[in-house]
Amino acid sequence: MKQRVGLDSALTVLAPVVWGSTYLVTTQFLPPDRPLLAAAVRALPGGLILTLAGRQLPQGHWWWRILVLGALNIGVFFYLLFVAAYHLPGGVAALVGSIQPVFVLLLSALLLRAAIRGWQVWACVLGTAGVGMLVLGPEAGLDAVGVVAGLGGAVCMASGIVLTKHWGRPPGVGLLTFTGWQLAAGGLLIAPVTLLGEGLPDRLTWSNVAGFAYLSLVGALLAYAVWFRGIERLPALTVSLLGFASPLAATILGFLFLREGLSLIQGVGAVAVVAAVLLAQRSTARDARVAREAGPPPKTAGAGADGPAAAGPAHPAPPPSEAGIRPAAHSPRQTTEREQP
């Protein structure tokens, strides 16, 4: 059980690590000052590819559910993320976004009826403090619009995680198809805003094409498939805490490829982030082991998979005779008055 949780966590953390490379790819390969275009290209092509490959469309109430999940996980989240990035220094924006696990903790208690435990609170505090030490600098400043957008983005992503956990996947729909629906829905929400607010660039270089391809195929298609798989297999808060790996990866990549300095405080912050992620992983494995050893809750008589049985049996048995044996058949002439209608 512990090995399975560790494997699921290790695979899921690849998604925020890939997202941590977005800043490097955006600044080095994409056209400047086109954040909404980057968001739309990141979501829409991969979503359409997966949807067409799956040859399935949502049915019934899943249409509005996919619109909600696509908006929370992709469309509205991306928009608020870029608004926060424009109004706040990068470190402050990352710090505001790191409060997301707190919202996941509260929403899980409300929607998933999950109990709030001490290690969860400590992991949230430790991870947020670590992100603050990683990304905050002397140029940090506050802007009301940026702070509100950052908090709104954190609420969107937290709500998307919890609702994805709460609703699950439609029966018979594969993970890649489910991912494609959400990416396509989110991309279609961003596309009109992109065309109206930014327009299309006059020309694209091969570096731009390579950057867009990386964001779409790796940063969205692959990363979100891994992310949604993790939401299915791990507790919602554990998945959210794994998101702390994104600013950690961005800091390390900036140090390796952009020659950005790495201070002692940032090193301590990196250790704190790793400790928060490991605390979540180990505690999740322990909880899963305890639940497995306790065994499934006993079923009540007549209860099925969907809940207790109805008040009475569907086909009641005929009442036994007073002597406990089958009564002899009566001839038509021996019909008593009590047996007549």
mmCIF file with all atom_site columns, all heavy atoms in Angstrom, residues 42-56:
data_model
loop_
_atom_site.group_PDB
_atom_site.id
_atom_site.type_symbol
_atom_site.label_atom_id
_atom_site.label_alt_id
_atom_site.label_comp_id
_atom_site.label_asym_id
_atom_site.label_entity_id
_atom_site.label_seq_id
_atom_site.pdbx_PDB_ins_code
_atom_site.Cartn_x
_atom_site.Cartn_y
_atom_site.Cartn_z
_atom_site.occupancy
_atom_site.B_iso_or_equiv
_atom_site.pdbx_formal_charge
_atom_site.auth_seq_id
_atom_site.auth_comp_id
_atom_site.auth_asym_id
_atom_site.auth_atom_id
_atom_site.pdbx_PDB_model_num
ATOM 1   N N   . ARG A 1 42 ? -2.023  26.506 -25.144 1.00 0.00 ? 42 ARG A N   1
ATOM 2   C CA  . ARG A 1 42 ? -1.666  25.453 -24.202 1.00 0.00 ? 42 ARG A CA  1
ATOM 3   C C   . ARG A 1 42 ? -2.824  24.485 -23.985 1.00 0.00 ? 42 ARG A C   1
ATOM 4   O O   . ARG A 1 42 ? -2.610  23.277 -23.829 1.00 0.00 ? 42 ARG A O   1
ATOM 5   C CB  . ARG A 1 42 ? -1.260  26.092 -22.876 1.00 0.00 ? 42 ARG A CB  1
ATOM 6   C CG  . ARG A 1 42 ? -0.887  25.133 -21.777 1.00 0.00 ? 42 ARG A CG  1
ATOM 7   C CD  . ARG A 1 42 ? -0.513  25.925 -20.533 1.00 0.00 ? 42 ARG A CD  1
ATOM 8   N NE  . ARG A 1 42 ? -0.241  25.074 -19.390 1.00 0.00 ? 42 ARG A NE  1
ATOM 9   C CZ  . ARG A 1 42 ? 0.057   25.523 -18.178 1.00 0.00 ? 42 ARG A CZ  1
ATOM 10  N NH1 . ARG A 1 42 ? 0.128   26.816 -17.974 1.00 0.00 ? 42 ARG A NH1 1
ATOM 11  N NH2 . ARG A 1 42 ? 0.293   24.685 -17.195 1.00 0.00 ? 42 ARG A NH2 1
ATOM 12  N N   . ALA A 1 43 ? -4.067  24.986 -23.991 1.00 0.00 ? 43 ALA A N   1
ATOM 13  C CA  . ALA A 1 43 ? -5.214  24.146 -23.637 1.00 0.00 ? 43 ALA A CA  1
ATOM 14  C C   . ALA A 1 43 ? -5.948  23.573 -24.843 1.00 0.00 ? 43 ALA A C   1
ATOM 15  O O   . ALA A 1 43 ? -6.264  22.377 -24.870 1.00 0.00 ? 43 ALA A O   1
ATOM 16  C CB  . ALA A 1 43 ? -6.185  24.950 -22.771 1.00 0.00 ? 43 ALA A CB  1
ATOM 17  N N   . LEU A 1 44 ? -6.241  24.410 -25.838 1.00 0.00 ? 44 LEU A N   1
ATOM 18  C CA  . LEU A 1 44 ? -7.193  24.020 -26.884 1.00 0.00 ? 44 LEU A CA  1
ATOM 19  C C   . LEU A 1 44 ? -6.697  22.912 -27.813 1.00 0.00 ? 44 LEU A C   1
ATOM 20  O O   . LEU A 1 44 ? -7.418  21.928 -28.030 1.00 0.00 ? 44 LEU A O   1
ATOM 21  C CB  . LEU A 1 44 ? -7.614  25.252 -27.684 1.00 0.00 ? 44 LEU A CB  1
ATOM 22  C CG  . LEU A 1 44 ? -8.795  25.063 -28.635 1.00 0.00 ? 44 LEU A CG  1
ATOM 23  C CD1 . LEU A 1 44 ? -10.005 24.520 -27.904 1.00 0.00 ? 44 LEU A CD1 1
ATOM 24  C CD2 . LEU A 1 44 ? -9.133  26.389 -29.320 1.00 0.00 ? 44 LEU A CD2 1
ATOM 25  N N   . PRO A 1 45 ? -5.498  23.001 -28.413 1.00 0.00 ? 45 PRO A N   1
ATOM 26  C CA  . PRO A 1 45 ? -5.092  21.935 -29.344 1.00 0.00 ? 45 PRO A CA  1
ATOM 27  C C   . PRO A 1 45 ? -5.040  20.552 -28.696 1.00 0.00 ? 45 PRO A C   1
ATOM 28  O O   . PRO A 1 45 ? -5.562  19.578 -29.251 1.00 0.00 ? 45 PRO A O   1
ATOM 29  C CB  . PRO A 1 45 ? -3.703  22.387 -29.818 1.00 0.00 ? 45 PRO A CB  1
ATOM 30  C CG  . PRO A 1 45 ? -3.682  23.851 -29.595 1.00 0.00 ? 45 PRO A CG  1
ATOM 31  C CD  . PRO A 1 45 ? -4.493  24.084 -28.373 1.00 0.00 ? 45 PRO A CD  1
ATOM 32  N N   . GLY A 1 46 ? -4.419  20.464 -27.523 1.00 0.00 ? 46 GLY A N   1
ATOM 33  C CA  . GLY A 1 46 ? -4.357  19.166 -26.849 1.00 0.00 ? 46 GLY A CA  1
ATOM 34  C C   . GLY A 1 46 ? -5.728  18.637 -26.486 1.00 0.00 ? 46 GLY A C   1
ATOM 35  O O   . GLY A 1 46 ? -5.999  17.432 -26.593 1.00 0.00 ? 46 GLY A O   1
ATOM 36  N N   . GLY A 1 47 ? -6.625  19.537 -26.064 1.00 0.00 ? 47 GLY A N   1
ATOM 37  C CA  . GLY A 1 47 ? -7.987  19.113 -25.741 1.00 0.00 ? 47 GLY A CA  1
ATOM 38  C C   . GLY A 1 47 ? -8.730  18.566 -26.942 1.00 0.00 ? 47 GLY A C   1
ATOM 39  O O   . GLY A 1 47 ? -9.422  17.541 -26.851 1.00 0.00 ? 47 GLY A O   1
ATOM 40  N N   . LEU A 1 48 ? -8.587  19.244 -28.080 1.00 0.00 ? 48 LEU A N   1
ATOM 41  C CA  . LEU A 1 48 ? -9.260  18.770 -29.296 1.00 0.00 ? 48 LEU A CA  1
ATOM 42  C C   . LEU A 1 48 ? -8.673  17.440 -29.771 1.00 0.00 ? 48 LEU A C   1
ATOM 43  O O   . LEU A 1 48 ? -9.404  16.552 -30.228 1.00 0.00 ? 48 LEU A O   1
ATOM 44  C CB  . LEU A 1 48 ? -9.139  19.830 -30.396 1.00 0.00 ? 48 LEU A CB  1
ATOM 45  C CG  . LEU A 1 48 ? -9.886  21.141 -30.133 1.00 0.00 ? 48 LEU A CG  1
ATOM 46  C CD1 . LEU A 1 48 ? -9.653  22.122 -31.271 1.00 0.00 ? 48 LEU A CD1 1
ATOM 47  C CD2 . LEU A 1 48 ? -11.377 20.892 -29.945 1.00 0.00 ? 48 LEU A CD2 1
ATOM 48  N N   . ILE A 1 49 ? -7.343  17.285 -29.664 1.00 0.00 ? 49 ILE A N   1
ATOM 49  C CA  . ILE A 1 49 ? -6.706  16.026 -30.083 1.00 0.00 ? 49 ILE A CA  1
ATOM 50  C C   . ILE A 1 49 ? -7.231  14.861 -29.252 1.00 0.00 ? 49 ILE A C   1
ATOM 51  O O   . ILE A 1 49 ? -7.618  13.809 -29.790 1.00 0.00 ? 49 ILE A O   1
ATOM 52  C CB  . ILE A 1 49 ? -5.172  16.146 -29.961 1.00 0.00 ? 49 ILE A CB  1
ATOM 53  C CG1 . ILE A 1 49 ? -4.622  17.087 -31.027 1.00 0.00 ? 49 ILE A CG1 1
ATOM 54  C CG2 . ILE A 1 49 ? -4.517  14.767 -30.091 1.00 0.00 ? 49 ILE A CG2 1
ATOM 55  C CD1 . ILE A 1 49 ? -3.137  17.393 -30.861 1.00 0.00 ? 49 ILE A CD1 1
ATOM 56  N N   . LEU A 1 50 ? -7.272  15.029 -27.924 1.00 0.00 ? 50 LEU A N   1
ATOM 57  C CA  . LEU A 1 50 ? -7.739  13.947 -27.063 1.00 0.00 ? 50 LEU A CA  1
ATOM 58  C C   . LEU A 1 50 ? -9.219  13.664 -27.259 1.00 0.00 ? 50 LEU A C   1
ATOM 59  O O   . LEU A 1 50 ? -9.653  12.500 -27.223 1.00 0.00 ? 50 LEU A O   1
ATOM 60  C CB  . LEU A 1 50 ? -7.461  14.292 -25.600 1.00 0.00 ? 50 LEU A CB  1
ATOM 61  C CG  . LEU A 1 50 ? -5.985  14.307 -25.171 1.00 0.00 ? 50 LEU A CG  1
ATOM 62  C CD1 . LEU A 1 50 ? -5.864  14.689 -23.702 1.00 0.00 ? 50 LEU A CD1 1
ATOM 63  C CD2 . LEU A 1 50 ? -5.329  12.963 -25.419 1.00 0.00 ? 50 LEU A CD2 1
ATOM 64  N N   . THR A 1 51 ? -10.015 14.702 -27.459 1.00 0.00 ? 51 THR A N   1
ATOM 65  C CA  . THR A 1 51 ? -11.450 14.501 -27.661 1.00 0.00 ? 51 THR A CA  1
ATOM 66  C C   . THR A 1 51 ? -11.723 13.761 -28.965 1.00 0.00 ? 51 THR A C   1
ATOM 67  O O   . THR A 1 51 ? -12.549 12.830 -29.012 1.00 0.00 ? 51 THR A O   1
ATOM 68  C CB  . THR A 1 51 ? -12.187 15.852 -27.653 1.00 0.00 ? 51 THR A CB  1
ATOM 69  O OG1 . THR A 1 51 ? -11.941 16.519 -26.404 1.00 0.00 ? 51 THR A OG1 1
ATOM 70  C CG2 . THR A 1 51 ? -13.674 15.655 -27.823 1.00 0.00 ? 51 THR A CG2 1
ATOM 71  N N   . LEU A 1 52 ? -11.045 14.153 -30.031 1.00 0.00 ? 52 LEU A N   1
ATOM 72  C CA  . LEU A 1 52 ? -11.233 13.468 -31.312 1.00 0.00 ? 52 LEU A CA  1
ATOM 73  C C   . LEU A 1 52 ? -10.729 12.031 -31.251 1.00 0.00 ? 52 LEU A C   1
ATOM 74  O O   . LEU A 1 52 ? -11.344 11.122 -31.816 1.00 0.00 ? 52 LEU A O   1
ATOM 75  C CB  . LEU A 1 52 ? -10.502 14.234 -32.418 1.00 0.00 ? 52 LEU A CB  1
ATOM 76  C CG  . LEU A 1 52 ? -11.088 15.602 -32.781 1.00 0.00 ? 52 LEU A CG  1
ATOM 77  C CD1 . LEU A 1 52 ? -10.199 16.312 -33.797 1.00 0.00 ? 52 LEU A CD1 1
ATOM 78  C CD2 . LEU A 1 52 ? -12.503 15.452 -33.323 1.00 0.00 ? 52 LEU A CD2 1
ATOM 79  N N   . ALA A 1 53 ? -9.614  11.820 -30.554 1.00 0.00 ? 53 ALA A N   1
ATOM 80  C CA  . ALA A 1 53 ? -9.082  10.461 -30.445 1.00 0.00 ? 53 ALA A CA  1
ATOM 81  C C   . ALA A 1 53 ? -10.014 9.565  -29.642 1.00 0.00 ? 53 ALA A C   1
ATOM 82  O O   . ALA A 1 53 ? -10.143 8.372  -29.935 1.00 0.00 ? 53 ALA A O   1
ATOM 83  C CB  . ALA A 1 53 ? -7.691  10.486 -29.807 1.00 0.00 ? 53 ALA A CB  1
ATOM 84  N N   . GLY A 1 54 ? -10.661 10.116 -28.618 1.00 0.00 ? 54 GLY A N   1
ATOM 85  C CA  . GLY A 1 54 ? -11.578 9.318  -27.807 1.00 0.00 ? 54 GLY A CA  1
ATOM 86  C C   . GLY A 1 54 ? -12.899 9.018  -28.465 1.00 0.00 ? 54 GLY A C   1
ATOM 87  O O   . GLY A 1 54 ? -13.597 8.074  -28.078 1.00 0.00 ? 54 GLY A O   1
ATOM 88  N N   . ARG A 1 55 ? -13.299 9.824  -29.457 1.00 0.00 ? 55 ARG A N   1
ATOM 89  C CA  . ARG A 1 55 ? -14.549 9.621  -30.204 1.00 0.00 ? 55 ARG A CA  1
ATOM 90  C C   . ARG A 1 55 ? -15.763 9.531  -29.275 1.00 0.00 ? 55 ARG A C   1
ATOM 91  O O   . ARG A 1 55 ? -16.678 8.733  -29.488 1.00 0.00 ? 55 ARG A O   1
ATOM 92  C CB  . ARG A 1 55 ? -14.466 8.357  -31.077 1.00 0.00 ? 55 ARG A CB  1
ATOM 93  C CG  . ARG A 1 55 ? -13.392 8.428  -32.145 1.00 0.00 ? 55 ARG A CG  1
ATOM 94  C CD  . ARG A 1 55 ? -13.389 7.180  -33.010 1.00 0.00 ? 55 ARG A CD  1
ATOM 95  N NE  . ARG A 1 55 ? -12.369 7.251  -34.044 1.00 0.00 ? 55 ARG A NE  1
ATOM 96  C CZ  . ARG A 1 55 ? -12.149 6.303  -34.955 1.00 0.00 ? 55 ARG A CZ  1
ATOM 97  N NH1 . ARG A 1 55 ? -12.897 5.198  -34.928 1.00 0.00 ? 55 ARG A NH1 1
ATOM 98  N NH2 . ARG A 1 55 ? -11.205 6.452  -35.846 1.00 0.00 ? 55 ARG A NH2 1
ATOM 99  N N   . GLN A 1 56 ? -15.735 10.331 -28.221 1.00 0.00 ? 56 GLN A N   1
ATOM 100 C CA  . GLN A 1 56 ? -16.852 10.397 -27.287 1.00 0.00 ? 56 GLN A CA  1
ATOM 101 C C   . GLN A 1 56 ? -17.104 11.845 -26.910 1.00 0.00 ? 56 GLN A C   1
ATOM 102 O O   . GLN A 1 56 ? -16.177 12.654 -26.862 1.00 0.00 ? 56 GLN A O   1
ATOM 103 C CB  . GLN A 1 56 ? -16.555 9.604  -26.005 1.00 0.00 ? 56 GLN A CB  1
ATOM 104 C CG  . GLN A 1 56 ? -16.674 8.107  -26.131 1.00 0.00 ? 56 GLN A CG  1
ATOM 105 C CD  . GLN A 1 56 ? -16.377 7.424  -24.803 1.00 0.00 ? 56 GLN A CD  1
ATOM 106 O OE1 . GLN A 1 56 ? -15.243 7.366  -24.343 1.00 0.00 ? 56 GLN A OE1 1
ATOM 107 N NE2 . GLN A 1 56 ? -17.409 6.914  -24.167 1.00 0.00 ? 56 GLN A NE2 1
#
